[in-house]
Amino acid sequence: MPGKLYVVATPIGNLEDLTFRAARILGEVDVIACEDTRQTAKLLAHLSLHKPLVAIHEHNERERAAELAARLAAGASIALVSDAGTPLISDPGYRLIQAATETGIPVVPLPGPCAAITALSASGLPTDAFYFGGFLPAKANQRRKYLEALKPLPATLIFYEAPHRILETLEDIRVCYPERRITVARELTKVHEEFLRGTGAEVLAELAARPAMKGEFTLLIAKGGEADAGADERPLQEAIAALETEGVERMEAIKLVARLRGLSKREVYSALIKK
Ligand code: SAM
C-alpha cells in the first residue's frame, strides 16, 4: 500500500501558529521533504523531533520528486514543508504533488499560515474576490505591463515583494493605480508586524522616509470600482496578441485573458486554434 504525502503549512514568523495537527504529523512521518534543511531543523528542534530530512528546491525538484514518489509508492509516509507558510504558494513542491497525484498516492493537506491570506484578512480591503499574483516580475518594464494588464480584474490583488524592490514596486503602483487603496503588510505575525494603509503615494511616502527597508512584505491593491473594471470587448486573439507585444509570455497571456473573461484556458486556447 502506498504511503501518504502530507502538505504541511508551517509558521510565517510566530512559532505558536504551528497547528497541533502539523506537530503530530511531523512527528509521525518517516521523512520530511523540505526547502532548506537548516530552517526545518530549527522547527524540529523547537518540537524536540528528530527526523530524516530531504531537501527539495527549485534546482533539484524534478529528480527529488521522482525519488520521493518512489518512496511513497513503496509505503513511506512523507511530510512536505517549506521554509515558512504553505508549501507550493510561491514555494517548491508542485512537481512532487503532481507526481503523487499522477500515481494515485494520497495527498493530505494540513492547512495553516500563508502570508497572502493572513495579509488579506487584516488588510481592510475587499475580500469577496482576490487574485494572488505571487512575486511580481523583477524587471521594471515587465512589472509595469503586468500591473497594467491586471487592472480590469474585479478582485483585490495580492503580491509578495522583496524588501530591496518594495519602493520601486510602490512607485509603479502609485502610477498605475493612483486612486486605489493599498495595504502593505510587513513582518506578519512577528514582533514588528505592521500594516501601512492608504493610496500608493501615501504608503510610498511613508516607507521612503525610512532609513532602510527591513523584513518581509506582502502588498495588496484594493479591488477596483466599476470604472476600473470596464469590460474588454476585443476579440480574444487581439487581447492575447496585445499582451504578447507587451512582452507577456503566450501561456501567461492565455491564462490572464481566460481569468479576465471568466473563461477556461482550454476555451481561450481553442478560440486561438480555430482562427
Ligand atoms: N509559502 C509562503 C506562504 O505561504 O506565505 C510564501 C513563501 S515566499 C518564498 C516568501 C514571501 O512571502 C516573502 O518574500 C514575503 O513577500 C511573503 N511573506 C512571507 N512571510 C511574511 C511575513 N511574515 N510578513 C509579510 N510577508 C511575508
Side-chain angles (χ1 to χ4, degrees):
M1 224 172 75
K4 285 184 183 161
L5 173 57
Y6 297 93
V7 187
V8 183
T10 58
I12 54 171
N14 190 329
L15 285 177
E16 286 179 359
D17 293 331
L18 188 85
T19 67
F20 290 117
R21 189 174 171 215
R24 176 174 62 79
I25 293 294
L26 290 177
E28 286 176 6
V29 291
D30 299 309
V31 180
I32 298 177
C34 59
E35 201 180 346
D36 179 342
T37 52
R38 287 162 306 179
Q39 277 304 116
T40 302
K42 283 188 215 159
L43 177 68
L44 294 186
H46 174 76
L47 298 170
S48 306
L49 290 175
H50 298 277
K51 286 281 161 181
L53 299 178
V54 174
I56 181 163
H57 44 69
E58 57 176 329
H59 305 295
N60 70 1
E61 199 173 337
R62 199 179 288 270
E63 308 90 78
R64 278 291 146 83
E67 287 162 26
L68 291 167
R71 288 176 79 165
L72 284 158
S77 57
I78 298 181
L80 170 69
V81 298
S82 59
D83 286 352
T86 302
L88 281 85
I89 307 302
S90 294
D91 265 340
Y94 172 66
R95 287 183 194 283
L96 177 58
I97 303 303
Q98 205 183 21
T101 53
E102 277 169 7
T103 47
I105 291 158
V107 178
V108 183
L110 270 66
C114 173
I117 299 297
T118 307
L120 177 67
S121 68
S123 65
L125 305 180
T127 55
D128 58 328
F130 56 89
Y131 174 89
F132 173 61
F135 284 95
L136 280 161
K139 289 196 180 139
N141 62 337
Q142 284 180 10
R143 187 170 56 237
R144 282 184 218 127
K145 281 169 187 163
Y146 190 57
L147 282 169
E148 197 63 46
L150 291 174
K151 238 176 170 176
L153 203 64
T156 290
L157 309 176
I158 311 174
F159 304 103
Y160 290 155
E161 191 50 287
H164 64 274
R165 264 198 299 272
I166 192 83
L167 294 181
E168 277 178 55
T169 296
L170 282 171
E171 170 59 15
D172 292 341
I173 291 173
R174 182 189 71 77
V175 173
C176 196
Y177 295 89
E179 311 294 337
R180 300 245 194 128
R181 289 183 295 141
I182 74 159
T183 297
V184 169
R186 192 178 79 88
E187 294 289 83
L188 287 162
T189 78
K190 302 183 198 178
V191 179
H192 298 292
E193 174 180 274
E194 68 172 334
F195 291 89
L196 296 130
R197 300 181 178 92
T199 61
E202 287 164 349
V203 173
L204 175 62
E206 188 165 348
L207 274 181
R210 297 185 181 182
M213 287 314 110
K214 289 202 187 128
E216 298 195 275
F217 293 84
T218 296
L219 268 169
L220 304 96
I221 304 172
K223 175 178 163 180
E226 288 307 307
D228 290 305
D232 180 354
E233 282 166 3
R234 288 172 298 176
L236 289 172
Q237 289 88 346
E238 215 176 296
I240 286 170
L243 284 169
E244 284 185 304
T245 323
E246 287 171 3
V248 179
E249 297 283 334
R250 191 172 179 79
M251 285 317 290
E252 197 52 41
I254 290 175
K255 216 158 83 182
L256 200 55
V257 169
R259 177 84 174 87
L260 294 173
R261 305 276 179 106
L263 299 169
S264 71
K265 277 185 284 179
R266 188 184 293 273
E267 282 170 311
V268 176
Y269 198 67
S270 4
L272 287 182
I273 293 170
K274 268 185 208 145
K275 201 185 171 217

